[in-house]
Amino acid sequence: MTSSPTASLPRRVVVTGATGKLGRAVVAHLRDLGLDVLAVDRAGGRDPRQVEGEFMLVDLTDYGQVVEALSGSVDEHDGPADAVVHLAAIPQPGLHSNAVTFANNSAATYNVFAAARALGIRKVVWASSETVLGLPFDSPPPYAPVDEEYAARPESTYSLNKALEEEMARHFCRWDPELVAVGLRFSNVMEVEDYAQFPSFDADPQARRWNLWGYIDARDGAQAVERSLAHDLPGADVFVIANADTVMCRSSASLMAEVYPGVEVRRELGEHETLLCIDKARRVLGYEPRHSWRDHV
């Protein structure tokens, strides 16, 4: 059943990266809430027919195109944005050269932040990444569950850019004290059809150690975006966003003991408790995962 948007949510939202796994879920979820959503992705990217409703092809590395999209000044697209959800990026290391990945992702995020500032849009939610926590954890994490309390540890060009985006957001908020900028450090995004492979992960605990056996159901990722759009505390903040459990059938404690025996585990762990700590997102945003792969296998 479709519900009406609450007073705390913006009326019109631009969502970039709208045809990706997470983007599709976010667009559908926000529209189900009754929000007016302009879905945006890049020319030459995924098929726009994957996203129903209002859609526009935008090259986010072109500042002028970003301004037009956010300002509502493109023919047949109505009205300026009240908020922007920036999910677009080259999504992982190795798809392009390091220089291409950095040039694309840094320019796209800068242009979104700068255009929002120029247009007086004071709510920006963007996809940071679990990778800033130190993935692929070839060097063990400082402790577990990992959280937002230690400094970013980028280990790739992709991750370096995400760490710089977080710093960029802090300065945009310093320049505009009314800006609310929320960075979501999403874990590995999964859809229901991905879950059939999960039971096979138990055969080799090393295979998924690179992100401490974490994941995020796309629907719960969309919920985190909704909660972030309702967040009204000015300033820049970042949150780890993962599901409440791991991808494994084995216990979280046994995984840490076998794979990272020298790493401090800072609390008694629930049987399958995520090792990507979501306590801050729960406390500040009211985020609570509603889905698990275990419900589908």
Side-chain angles (χ1 to χ4, degrees):
M1 179 177 178
T2 300
S3 58
S4 299
T6 66
S8 60
L9 290 173
R11 181 191 65 84
R12 182 165 173 80
V13 181
V14 171
V15 178
T16 75
T19 65
K21 271 187 181 180
L22 181 58
R24 294 194 302 270
V26 167
V27 169
H29 182 70
L30 296 183
R31 285 177 175 163
D32 283 347
L33 290 171
L35 275 61
D36 182 10
V37 178
L38 170 59
V40 165
D41 219 312
R42 65 177 180 172
R46 298 181 180 90
D47 186 346
R49 290 173 294 182
Q50 294 184 56
V51 178
E52 296 181 359
E54 189 181 6
F55 182 91
M56 185 161 58
L57 292 169
V58 177
D59 181 354
L60 295 176
T61 67
D62 182 331
Y63 179 71
Q65 291 186 45
V66 178
V67 170
E68 283 197 68
L70 298 187
S71 65
S73 57
V74 178
D75 294 345
E76 301 189 14
H77 291 280
D78 296 329
D82 301 306
V84 58
V85 177
H86 176 47
L87 308 176
I90 292 173
Q92 64 188 62
L95 294 178
H96 298 268
S97 72
N98 292 345
V100 167
T101 297
F102 187 85
N104 180 88
N105 291 1
S106 59
T109 300
Y110 171 81
N111 287 344
V112 169
F113 287 3
R117 182 186 182 215
L119 295 168
I121 297 169
R122 292 200 165 95
K123 187 159 287 186
V124 177
V125 178
W126 87 97
S128 185
S129 171
E130 64 181 358
T131 61
V132 302
L133 295 166
L135 276 64
F137 290 125
D138 292 333
S139 296
Y143 51 81
V146 293
D147 58 23
E148 304 87 350
E149 298 306 311
Y150 64 92
R153 296 171 53 177
E155 300 290 353
S156 68
T157 298
Y158 170 84
S159 182
L160 173 64
N161 187 80
K162 291 297 185 182
L164 294 174
E165 288 175 4
E166 293 184 1
E167 183 68 11
M168 192 189 311
R170 286 188 277 272
H171 291 294
F172 270 92
C173 288
R174 181 171 59 85
W175 295 340
D176 182 355
E178 296 183 24
L179 176 63
V180 179
V182 181
L184 300 177
R185 293 177 171 179
F186 288 111
S187 187
N188 189 195
V189 180
M190 298 290 182
E191 296 175 310
V192 171
E193 51 265 37
D194 297 318
Y195 292 147
Q197 65 181 317
F198 276 35
S200 68
F201 295 153
D202 272 311
D204 181 8
Q206 298 286 340
R208 296 280 309 187
R209 71 179 178 86
W210 55 271
N211 76 337
L212 298 184
W213 309 279
Y215 75 107
I216 177 68
D217 186 290
R219 296 165 295 180
D220 282 318
Q223 182 217 147
V225 169
E226 174 201 344
R227 297 290 184 176
S228 299
L229 286 170
H231 185 63
D232 58 6
L233 184 65
D237 210 347
V238 295
F239 301 88
V240 174
I241 301 296
N243 272 76
D245 58 345
T246 70
V247 302
M248 306 292 279
C249 295
R250 293 180 49 179
S251 74
S252 299
S254 72
L255 289 166
M256 287 300 300
E258 177 178 340
V259 179
Y260 292 110
V263 172
E264 176 192 4
V265 177
R266 289 192 163 181
R267 66 183 183 220
E268 185 175 350
L269 297 170
E271 184 177 9
H272 301 121
E273 181 180 345
T274 179
L275 295 159
L276 304 173
C277 183
I278 56 175
D279 291 357
K280 182 181 175 184
R282 283 170 157 153
R283 183 178 69 252
V284 177
L285 299 179
Y287 166 71
E288 187 60 49
R290 299 168 183 162
H291 303 281
S292 170
W293 69 272
R294 299 168 209 279
D295 299 328
H296 299 279
V297 175

mmCIF file of all heavy atoms in Angstrom, residues 172-192:
data_model
loop_
_atom_site.group_PDB
_atom_site.id
_atom_site.type_symbol
_atom_site.label_atom_id
_atom_site.label_comp_id
_atom_site.label_asym_id
_atom_site.label_seq_id
_atom_site.Cartn_x
_atom_site.Cartn_y
_atom_site.Cartn_z
ATOM 1 N N PHE A 172 31.844 21.470 2.249
ATOM 2 C CA PHE A 172 30.620 22.084 1.727
ATOM 3 C C PHE A 172 29.700 22.473 2.873
ATOM 4 O O PHE A 172 29.039 23.523 2.822
ATOM 5 C CB PHE A 172 29.922 21.135 0.752
ATOM 6 C CG PHE A 172 30.363 21.284 -0.677
ATOM 7 C CD1 PHE A 172 31.401 20.520 -1.183
ATOM 8 C CD2 PHE A 172 29.762 22.221 -1.514
ATOM 9 C CE1 PHE A 172 31.828 20.669 -2.496
ATOM 10 C CE2 PHE A 172 30.172 22.384 -2.823
ATOM 11 C CZ PHE A 172 31.213 21.605 -3.331
ATOM 12 N N CYS A 173 29.650 21.649 3.912
ATOM 13 C CA CYS A 173 28.822 21.995 5.068
ATOM 14 C C CYS A 173 29.423 23.145 5.873
ATOM 15 O O CYS A 173 28.692 23.927 6.498
ATOM 16 C CB CYS A 173 28.625 20.764 5.958
ATOM 17 S SG CYS A 173 27.525 19.535 5.235
ATOM 18 N N ARG A 174 30.738 23.269 5.861
ATOM 19 C CA ARG A 174 31.368 24.426 6.521
ATOM 20 C C ARG A 174 31.022 25.709 5.778
ATOM 21 O O ARG A 174 30.767 26.745 6.388
ATOM 22 C CB ARG A 174 32.884 24.210 6.575
ATOM 23 C CG ARG A 174 33.662 25.328 7.250
ATOM 24 C CD ARG A 174 35.115 24.932 7.454
ATOM 25 N NE ARG A 174 35.794 24.611 6.208
ATOM 26 C CZ ARG A 174 36.367 25.524 5.414
ATOM 27 N NH1 ARG A 174 36.298 26.815 5.729
ATOM 28 N NH2 ARG A 174 36.989 25.163 4.318
ATOM 29 N N TRP A 175 30.993 25.621 4.445
ATOM 30 C CA TRP A 175 30.637 26.797 3.649
ATOM 31 C C TRP A 175 29.158 27.151 3.780
ATOM 32 O O TRP A 175 28.796 28.319 3.690
ATOM 33 C CB TRP A 175 30.955 26.533 2.176
ATOM 34 C CG TRP A 175 32.403 26.343 1.872
ATOM 35 C CD1 TRP A 175 33.469 26.732 2.636
ATOM 36 C CD2 TRP A 175 32.965 25.706 0.721
ATOM 37 N NE1 TRP A 175 34.655 26.378 2.041
ATOM 38 C CE2 TRP A 175 34.377 25.749 0.855
ATOM 39 C CE3 TRP A 175 32.414 25.106 -0.411
ATOM 40 C CZ2 TRP A 175 35.235 25.219 -0.102
ATOM 41 C CZ3 TRP A 175 33.274 24.567 -1.355
ATOM 42 C CH2 TRP A 175 34.670 24.631 -1.209
ATOM 43 N N ASP A 176 28.316 26.138 3.954
ATOM 44 C CA ASP A 176 26.874 26.370 4.097
ATOM 45 C C ASP A 176 26.400 25.675 5.371
ATOM 46 O O ASP A 176 26.116 24.479 5.369
ATOM 47 C CB ASP A 176 26.115 25.822 2.884
ATOM 48 C CG ASP A 176 24.617 26.095 2.975
ATOM 49 O OD1 ASP A 176 24.156 26.628 4.010
ATOM 50 O OD2 ASP A 176 23.904 25.764 1.999
ATOM 51 N N PRO A 177 26.326 26.408 6.484
ATOM 52 C CA PRO A 177 25.986 25.797 7.767
ATOM 53 C C PRO A 177 24.581 25.193 7.815
ATOM 54 O O PRO A 177 24.264 24.478 8.768
ATOM 55 C CB PRO A 177 26.117 26.967 8.761
ATOM 56 C CG PRO A 177 27.038 27.930 8.095
ATOM 57 C CD PRO A 177 26.730 27.823 6.631
ATOM 58 N N GLU A 178 23.738 25.479 6.821
ATOM 59 C CA GLU A 178 22.397 24.894 6.804
ATOM 60 C C GLU A 178 22.324 23.591 6.016
ATOM 61 O O GLU A 178 21.282 22.923 5.996
ATOM 62 C CB GLU A 178 21.400 25.903 6.216
ATOM 63 C CG GLU A 178 21.235 27.164 7.055
ATOM 64 C CD GLU A 178 20.190 28.100 6.476
ATOM 65 O OE1 GLU A 178 19.296 27.627 5.751
ATOM 66 O OE2 GLU A 178 20.278 29.310 6.744
ATOM 67 N N LEU A 179 23.402 23.200 5.377
ATOM 68 C CA LEU A 179 23.406 22.002 4.547
ATOM 69 C C LEU A 179 23.402 20.739 5.402
ATOM 70 O O LEU A 179 24.164 20.616 6.361
ATOM 71 C CB LEU A 179 24.635 22.006 3.633
ATOM 72 C CG LEU A 179 24.851 20.765 2.755
ATOM 73 C CD1 LEU A 179 23.705 20.589 1.763
ATOM 74 C CD2 LEU A 179 26.185 20.879 2.010
ATOM 75 N N VAL A 180 22.550 19.794 5.042
ATOM 76 C CA VAL A 180 22.532 18.457 5.636
ATOM 77 C C VAL A 180 23.105 17.503 4.597
ATOM 78 O O VAL A 180 22.523 17.318 3.519
ATOM 79 C CB VAL A 180 21.098 18.027 6.015
ATOM 80 C CG1 VAL A 180 21.115 16.623 6.618
ATOM 81 C CG2 VAL A 180 20.462 19.028 6.964
ATOM 82 N N ALA A 181 24.252 16.909 4.882
ATOM 83 C CA ALA A 181 24.917 16.004 3.950
ATOM 84 C C ALA A 181 25.156 14.670 4.648
ATOM 85 O O ALA A 181 25.888 14.605 5.636
ATOM 86 C CB ALA A 181 26.240 16.596 3.460
ATOM 87 N N VAL A 182 24.540 13.620 4.131
ATOM 88 C CA VAL A 182 24.600 12.306 4.763
ATOM 89 C C VAL A 182 25.289 11.334 3.814
ATOM 90 O O VAL A 182 24.795 11.074 2.709
ATOM 91 C CB VAL A 182 23.197 11.794 5.124
ATOM 92 C CG1 VAL A 182 23.294 10.420 5.800
ATOM 93 C CG2 VAL A 182 22.481 12.785 6.025
ATOM 94 N N GLY A 183 26.418 10.795 4.245
ATOM 95 C CA GLY A 183 27.140 9.796 3.474
ATOM 96 C C GLY A 183 26.852 8.411 4.017
ATOM 97 O O GLY A 183 27.019 8.151 5.213
ATOM 98 N N LEU A 184 26.395 7.524 3.139
ATOM 99 C CA LEU A 184 26.034 6.171 3.545
ATOM 100 C C LEU A 184 27.091 5.195 3.045
ATOM 101 O O LEU A 184 27.260 5.020 1.834
ATOM 102 C CB LEU A 184 24.648 5.817 2.996
ATOM 103 C CG LEU A 184 23.517 6.744 3.477
ATOM 104 C CD1 LEU A 184 22.199 6.359 2.820
ATOM 105 C CD2 LEU A 184 23.395 6.735 4.995
ATOM 106 N N ARG A 185 27.782 4.574 3.966
ATOM 107 C CA ARG A 185 28.836 3.615 3.625
ATOM 108 C C ARG A 185 28.205 2.243 3.366
ATOM 109 O O ARG A 185 28.241 1.346 4.193
ATOM 110 C CB ARG A 185 29.867 3.543 4.750
ATOM 111 C CG ARG A 185 30.665 4.827 4.934
ATOM 112 C CD ARG A 185 31.619 4.708 6.123
ATOM 113 N NE ARG A 185 32.542 5.830 6.204
ATOM 114 C CZ ARG A 185 33.461 5.974 7.162
ATOM 115 N NH1 ARG A 185 33.575 5.048 8.118
ATOM 116 N NH2 ARG A 185 34.264 7.022 7.180
ATOM 117 N N PHE A 186 27.600 2.117 2.190
ATOM 118 C CA PHE A 186 26.862 0.907 1.854
ATOM 119 C C PHE A 186 27.778 -0.301 1.746
ATOM 120 O O PHE A 186 28.861 -0.233 1.162
ATOM 121 C CB PHE A 186 26.129 1.082 0.522
ATOM 122 C CG PHE A 186 24.949 2.003 0.580
ATOM 123 C CD1 PHE A 186 24.975 3.225 -0.061
ATOM 124 C CD2 PHE A 186 23.796 1.629 1.257
ATOM 125 C CE1 PHE A 186 23.887 4.080 -0.027
ATOM 126 C CE2 PHE A 186 22.687 2.477 1.302
ATOM 127 C CZ PHE A 186 22.741 3.710 0.656
ATOM 128 N N SER A 187 27.288 -1.416 2.252
ATOM 129 C CA SER A 187 27.949 -2.691 2.022
ATOM 130 C C SER A 187 27.582 -3.194 0.623
ATOM 131 O O SER A 187 26.934 -2.501 -0.167
ATOM 132 C CB SER A 187 27.538 -3.693 3.108
ATOM 133 O OG SER A 187 28.300 -4.878 2.996
ATOM 134 N N ASN A 188 28.012 -4.417 0.322
ATOM 135 C CA ASN A 188 27.809 -5.057 -0.983
ATOM 136 C C ASN A 188 26.310 -5.229 -1.242
ATOM 137 O O ASN A 188 25.631 -5.977 -0.535
ATOM 138 C CB ASN A 188 28.527 -6.399 -0.947
ATOM 139 C CG ASN A 188 28.608 -7.090 -2.286
ATOM 140 O OD1 ASN A 188 28.913 -8.264 -2.334
ATOM 141 N ND2 ASN A 188 28.364 -6.418 -3.391
ATOM 142 N N VAL A 189 25.781 -4.558 -2.272
ATOM 143 C CA VAL A 189 24.331 -4.518 -2.503
ATOM 144 C C VAL A 189 23.859 -5.817 -3.141
ATOM 145 O O VAL A 189 24.421 -6.292 -4.130
ATOM 146 C CB VAL A 189 23.953 -3.325 -3.396
ATOM 147 C CG1 VAL A 189 22.436 -3.303 -3.636
ATOM 148 C CG2 VAL A 189 24.410 -2.007 -2.762
ATOM 149 N N MET A 190 22.798 -6.374 -2.581
ATOM 150 C CA MET A 190 22.226 -7.624 -3.056
ATOM 151 C C MET A 190 20.721 -7.478 -3.296
ATOM 152 O O MET A 190 20.038 -6.724 -2.603
ATOM 153 C CB MET A 190 22.446 -8.744 -2.022
ATOM 154 C CG MET A 190 23.899 -9.065 -1.745
ATOM 155 S SD MET A 190 24.691 -9.888 -3.153
ATOM 156 C CE MET A 190 26.343 -10.163 -2.476
ATOM 157 N N GLU A 191 20.244 -8.252 -4.294
ATOM 158 C CA GLU A 191 18.816 -8.396 -4.542
ATOM 159 C C GLU A 191 18.417 -9.835 -4.236
ATOM 160 O O GLU A 191 19.268 -10.716 -4.077
ATOM 161 C CB GLU A 191 18.494 -8.042 -5.992
ATOM 162 C CG GLU A 191 18.775 -6.582 -6.325
ATOM 163 C CD GLU A 191 18.567 -6.246 -7.789
ATOM 164 O OE1 GLU A 191 19.119 -6.980 -8.641
ATOM 165 O OE2 GLU A 191 17.866 -5.264 -8.072
ATOM 166 N N VAL A 192 17.108 -10.085 -4.160
ATOM 167 C CA VAL A 192 16.615 -11.402 -3.753
ATOM 168 C C VAL A 192 17.193 -12.513 -4.618
ATOM 169 O O VAL A 192 17.571 -13.580 -4.108
ATOM 170 C CB VAL A 192 15.073 -11.425 -3.787
ATOM 171 C CG1 VAL A 192 14.543 -12.844 -3.587
ATOM 172 C CG2 VAL A 192 14.509 -10.501 -2.709
#
